[in-house]
Amino acid sequence: MGRVAELAGVTVRTLHHYDEIGLVRPSARTAAGYRAYSAGDVERLREVLAYRRLGFGLREVADLVGDPSTDAVAHLRRLRGLLLERRDRADAMVAAIDRELTARAKGMKMTPEEQLEMLGARLYDAIGGAYIATRRTELRIATQIWDALGDAQTVLNVGAGTGSYEPSDRDVTAVEPSAVMRAQRPTGAAPCVAAAAESLPFKDQSFDAAMAVSTVHHWRDPIAGLREMRRVARRVVVLTFDASEPGWQRRFWLTRDYLPEFVGLFTQWPSLAGMADAIGARAEPVPIPWDCADGLFEAYWRRPGAYLEDHVRRAMSVWTRVGPEAEQRAVRSLSDDLASGRWAERNRDLADLDAAELGLRLLIA
Ligand SMILES: C[S@@+](CC[C@H](N)C(=O)[O-])C[C@H]1O[C@@H](n2cnc3c(N)ncnc32)[C@H](O)[C@@H]1O
């Protein structure tokens, strides 16, 4: 075990842990009767470590290497593809940073108002690199959004990020202020304009519909941004969060029992009714499926262990916004409660639910 740890560049403790959780078990025996790694075990360890270094969590790695339909060559191909994808993204990010550096060197300055509007974008310039590890399209939520778009053919996606919810069968234009997020849009994604919601660079009624998903809470002035969407499009569809209904602070066990600081992030936040009124919208609830594919903050309500994974938290802005002290305390306390069975006891009623109502709302105007 010591020799394999040394060769693989990991600690013996890590190998023990992988053994304990059944991820990589030394299946051979030495002449003296000690447990040892066979060639097959070493191959599996190499795959596990490669997926780990690409940012996958232990549970995901277990699923990947445990898949009986994937042999060693298929794993190597997949790893190669993932690495090339990562290299492309890094290249794109370097190019975006170079463009900004050139603009700055030429003395291009933003007005104070533009700077404030880009505040939310700056957060994503700092944390956006971790986004795509877990943030992707959740088809059930996407279907609800796309249905709400009705027969719109031209669609503006505001705060588009990497484009997770852009419908592929319509003519989409994206708006995204963060260079890091723009750089991570996949090749072939809709064209993307660098701008903020509060001042959209489009004429009145330029689009059949404007959509915004999981972004309004980052805007400097949500009401101004919503009005801009209303101005440039005939239909507006916004996936947002209700932080005004009575008892909203106690809806989700994570913020109720472990991260009360979450509530403080929403003290300046307009009410759902205020946002709906600004654009003449109705609101419909958006349930979060138990196996939600998009790693948004509430996504793992029935899979609490996910919140212990660093790469899962890094793709959720909440953790950066509450700060490292609150984050570490919440994770420690959740980890203790999972180990002691206290979490399971407190949240027994969740085990039978397929979807949860945790305050996500679709505004449709
Ligand atoms: C949680 S991400 C959501 C991205 C995408 N809509 C999705 O669902 O995957 C929030 C996005 O809002 C963007 N954002 C921040 N401030 C903004 C503003 N004032 N106007 C438009 N977008 C903004 C961020 O840069 C980030 O890409």
Side-chain angles (χ1 to χ4, degrees):
M1 200 173 249
R3 180 81 184 116
V4 168
E6 195 185 317
L7 284 171
V10 295
T11 61
V12 171
R13 215 168 139 239
T14 300
L15 291 185
H16 277 304
H17 184 55
Y18 289 173
D19 183 14
E20 270 158 33
I21 61 174
L23 194 55
V24 188
R25 293 225 144 108
S27 61
R29 295 264 164 196
T30 63
Y34 291 112
R35 297 169 69 201
Y37 289 85
S38 68
D41 301 335
V42 170
E43 190 169 280
R44 185 173 165 103
L45 177 65
R46 191 195 54 195
E47 283 156 8
V48 165
L49 293 176
Y51 283 122
R52 287 291 282 156
R53 280 170 194 153
L54 277 164
F56 287 93
L58 282 174
R59 246 171 247 110
E60 287 168 301
V61 174
D63 289 345
L64 284 164
V65 298
D67 177 0
S69 64
T70 313
D71 63 8
V73 172
H75 277 300
L76 285 171
R77 289 222 171 91
R78 183 189 286 163
L79 283 162
R80 188 172 188 281
L82 287 166
L83 280 166
L84 288 178
E85 225 176 74
R86 183 161 287 203
R87 191 177 68 187
D88 287 350
R89 274 203 309 277
D91 286 349
M93 281 165 73
V94 170
I97 289 170
D98 285 348
R99 277 197 298 278
E100 287 213 11
L101 284 173
T102 313
R104 277 166 195 255
K106 284 186 189 150
M108 286 168 65
K109 286 224 174 81
M110 286 191 283
T111 65
E113 199 173 35
E114 280 168 340
Q115 283 181 21
L116 280 173
E117 281 167 5
M118 296 303 247
L119 260 186
R122 243 182 261 146
L123 172 67
Y124 272 87
D125 280 343
I127 68 169
Y131 199 75
I132 53 156
T134 60
R135 303 301 298 266
R136 47 188 80 105
T137 317
E138 163 47 57
L139 205 56
R140 287 155 286 190
I141 296 179
T143 305
Q144 204 174 335
I145 294 170
W146 298 337
D147 284 351
L149 289 173
D151 58 5
Q153 271 314 302
T154 55
V155 176
L156 181 70
N157 185 20
V158 181
T162 54
S164 295
Y165 290 90
E166 281 162 21
S168 57
D169 58 347
R170 327 215 187 184
D171 174 7
V172 177
T173 303
V175 160
E176 171 52 56
S178 156
V180 169
M181 294 302 272
R182 287 198 302 278
Q184 294 182 94
R185 291 176 63 77
T187 27
C192 188
V193 178
E198 293 87 343
S199 45
L200 293 172
F202 304 103
K203 293 203 181 93
D204 296 359
Q205 308 278 296
S206 309
F207 299 92
D208 295 337
M211 59 183 269
V213 179
S214 306
T215 170
V216 183
H217 54 290
H218 291 295
W219 301 355
R220 176 185 60 85
D221 186 344
I223 299 290
L226 290 169
R227 289 204 175 114
E228 272 293 87
M229 290 177 74
R230 175 82 285 185
R231 179 183 67 74
V232 302
R234 281 176 277 279
R235 177 181 279 258
V236 178
V237 176
V238 175
L239 179 69
T240 185
F241 179 76
D242 185 356
S244 50
E245 72 172 11
W248 74 272
Q249 300 91 336
R250 303 194 53 75
R251 247 178 343 216
F252 184 24
W253 56 263
L254 178 59
T255 50
R256 183 190 62 214
D257 300 333
Y258 302 98
L259 196 64
E261 290 84 354
F262 177 80
V263 172
L265 303 179
F266 287 90
T267 46
Q268 306 287 328
W269 177 241
S271 68
L272 189 81
M275 290 192 279
D277 281 353
I279 51 172
R282 64 184 169 85
E284 64 180 42
V286 180
I288 305 176
W290 76 271
D291 53 352
C292 183
D294 184 357
L296 40 87
F297 182 62
E298 297 86 354
Y300 304 94
W301 58 269
R302 223 182 89 177
R303 297 168 287 170
Y307 293 103
L308 306 182
E309 304 265 0
D310 199 54
H311 78 285
V312 168
R313 294 196 309 281
R314 293 286 63 81
M316 300 166 172
S317 61
V318 168
W319 298 102
T320 304
R321 294 175 73 192
V322 295
E325 224 168 90
E327 175 177 8
Q328 278 157 26
R329 192 214 54 240
V331 170
R332 218 176 306 121
S333 170
L334 173 60
S335 168
D336 291 348
D337 282 1
L338 287 174
S340 71
R342 191 155 179 248
W343 183 91
E345 202 176 294
R346 265 187 184 165
N347 296 286
R348 222 178 293 133
D349 49 331
L350 299 184
D352 300 327
L353 287 185
D354 288 337
E357 151 42 19
L358 291 173
L360 290 201
R361 296 283 179 273
L362 201 60
L363 295 179
I364 306 169

